[in-house]
Amino acid sequence: MNQYIKSLVIILLAVAGVQAQSASKPEAPLTIDAKQREHAVEAMLKEFNDRYVFPDVALKVKETITSRMKNKDFDNIQTGQELAAEMTRQIQEITKDKHVRVLCSTKPYPKQIERRMAPSAEELKKYREEMRINNAGFEKVERLTGNIGYIKLNGFMDPEAGREPLTAAMTFLKNTDALILDLRQNGGGTPLMVRDLCSYFFGETPILLNQMYFRKDNRKEEFWTNKEVPGPRYLNKDVYILTSAFTFSGAEECAYNFQTQKRATLVGEITGGGAHPGGMVPVANHYSIFIPTGRAINPITNTNWEGVGVKPDIEVDADKALETAHAHAIKTLLKSSDSKIRERVQQDVDSAANRSKRIAERRQANLKDRQAKTKQ
């Protein structure tokens, strides 16, 4: 199993577990004493120092938090949950890395979890069933007025799970004249699925979209578009990508890929600003910490969106992004040099307006009929 899928499975299952627990019965706080608090912090700092993508920043985190511990800055913390929240806040403050987070479980993690580098067969089965039920993050696919395609994608899941809905979506929208990809509620996922989606919008000649550098082994991995895709490509048509402050990680990579390749117009808000992949590391029996072990390197800008987010081309509030992109798409198509496109888009817009008018008239007529019958 690919390392990205391993990390994604473990993270999603952990999140699902927390959500299920919250939905049923809130977990009682883990009471800790000074010795347990110190042991947990030291364990977290050791793992972070050994794994974080930037060794110099990791060392700064270790030195700063160790100093704060000695200054008794943590002495008022009495539960593991409070400690996890404070460690998340402090590490993010020092690193400016929004991927970093610490979780606490009152119930101890199984001893074997620290040695396990991949999800179990049972966990993998559960994950794939979750992906099937959630349609791999594809929430909505439709044709909007003006012959504009629309895809609402809330996560970049396992490519195996996403292949069928992605192919179906692109097949359904192949005859539209422009397309809107909605990533406003997308918190990220695997770059493999980002690659697969992007591949539909470029030709057969592979294009380098992104690179990932990993501290371990000083390794770099490249992500190229696929030479072949199972569905129809979407070429030579305008694409709009909707973003919000929630758009994060892999979703930001997708938007950044399109933007730097000049393949789409981004509409919405500046994104969250997380460009460092990594994984959850269990520590001190009750805690787990997400440690970014790599960083994205865009081949065009030679940098990424970490800490700054991806800036949209048309900046509007997220709740107005779809309306704005839709109007912009129609306006652009009505200026097309292709008269056939102009005609069918205008006809579709007029037909939609006429339908709305007829519905309103019919509604009003029915209301008058009911009122007349009531008076009889």
Side-chain angles (χ1 to χ4, degrees), residues 28 47 63 68 75 78 94 96 110 115 133 150 154 159 181 207 210-211 249 260 267 297 325 333-334 337 340:
E47 293 292 350
E63 292 174 345
R68 291 174 181 176
D75 283 10
Q78 298 180 348
I94 299 167
K96 310 301 181 186
R115 297 190 298 271
I133 293 173
Y150 175 76
N154 294 342
L181 175 61
I207 293 175
N210 188 34
Q211 303 167 93
S249 192
T260 55
V267 182
I297 304 174
L333 289 173
L334 290 176
S337 59
K340 291 183 178 179

Side-chain angles (χ1 to χ4, degrees), residues 72-352:
K72 300 184 178 181
D73 290 2
F74 289 74
D75 283 10
N76 292 328
I77 295 176
Q78 298 180 348
T79 71
Q81 283 74 13
E82 291 175 330
L83 179 62
E86 183 61 16
M87 286 295 287
T88 297
R89 187 190 70 78
Q90 292 207 22
I91 297 176
Q92 285 190 0
E93 174 191 286
I94 299 167
T95 63
K96 310 301 181 186
D97 193 325
K98 296 181 181 180
H99 266 111
V100 178
R101 59 189 177 277
V102 181
L103 302 176
C104 174
S105 170
T106 299
K107 183 179 179 181
Y109 291 120
K111 291 292 183 182
Q112 66 270 23
I113 194 171
E114 296 194 23
R115 297 190 298 271
R116 183 158 56 82
M117 299 304 293
S120 66
E122 183 179 348
E123 287 174 330
L124 183 58
K125 181 180 179 181
K126 180 178 180 181
Y127 161 72
R128 285 177 172 161
E129 178 62 14
E130 288 280 349
M131 293 306 97
R132 185 187 69 80
I133 293 173
N134 292 322
N135 208 32
F138 286 84
E139 182 178 305
K140 185 183 295 185
V141 179
E142 61 180 311
R143 177 188 177 279
L144 304 178
T145 301
N147 201 33
I148 312 297
Y150 175 76
I151 299 175
K152 188 172 190 295
L153 178 59
N154 294 342
F156 287 94
M157 307 304 176
D158 181 350
E160 183 178 336
R163 185 176 298 110
E164 185 176 339
L166 173 57
T167 304
M170 298 310 297
T171 301
F172 178 75
L173 299 176
K174 69 179 181 178
N175 294 319
T176 56
D177 290 306
L179 187 144
I180 298 172
L181 175 61
D182 191 345
L183 303 181
R184 289 176 294 175
Q185 295 183 24
N186 193 315
T190 168
L192 301 178
M193 188 62 195
V194 174
R195 173 206 64 196
D196 287 357
L197 183 145
C198 290
S199 295
Y200 277 89
F201 297 88
F202 297 91
E204 293 183 0
T205 302
I207 293 175
L208 180 59
L209 296 171
N210 188 34
Q211 303 167 93
M212 289 289 186
Y213 167 80
F214 294 93
R215 174 182 172 181
K216 185 179 180 181
D217 301 326
N218 192 33
R219 178 173 59 87
K220 184 181 288 185
E221 187 171 350
E222 296 182 340
F223 295 87
W224 295 74
T225 55
N226 300 320
K227 184 176 181 179
E228 297 179 355
V229 293
R233 293 183 188 273
Y234 202 87
L235 306 176
N236 305 315
K237 299 178 183 180
D238 289 342
V239 177
Y240 299 83
I241 297 181
L242 310 185
T243 62
S244 73
F246 182 83
T247 306
F248 195 66
S249 192
E252 294 179 277
E253 186 215 320
C254 180
Y256 199 63
N257 290 346
F258 273 91
Q259 187 180 61
T260 55
Q261 294 288 344
K262 302 186 184 304
R263 183 62 186 92
T265 300
L266 274 56
V267 182
E269 299 171 344
I270 297 175
T271 61
H276 295 163
M280 297 297 294
V281 180
V283 294
N285 298 324
H286 293 272
Y287 304 87
S288 59
I289 176 172
F290 186 94
I291 304 177
T293 56
R295 61 186 175 91
I297 304 174
N298 182 274
I300 295 176
T301 65
N302 289 315
T303 185
N304 57 48
W305 56 94
E306 179 64 37
V308 296
V310 181
K311 183 177 176 59
D313 302 295
I314 302 175
E315 194 167 347
V316 296
D317 289 344
D319 58 359
K320 297 179 180 179
L322 176 55
E323 176 187 351
T324 302
H326 189 197
H328 194 281
I330 290 176
K331 184 177 180 180
T332 300
L333 289 173
L334 290 176
K335 294 180 179 179
S336 172
S337 59
D338 188 329
S339 60
K340 291 183 178 179
I341 292 179
R342 295 198 306 271
E343 289 173 5
R344 67 169 171 259
V345 170
Q346 186 64 63
Q347 183 179 26
D348 196 67
V349 170
D350 292 341
S351 295

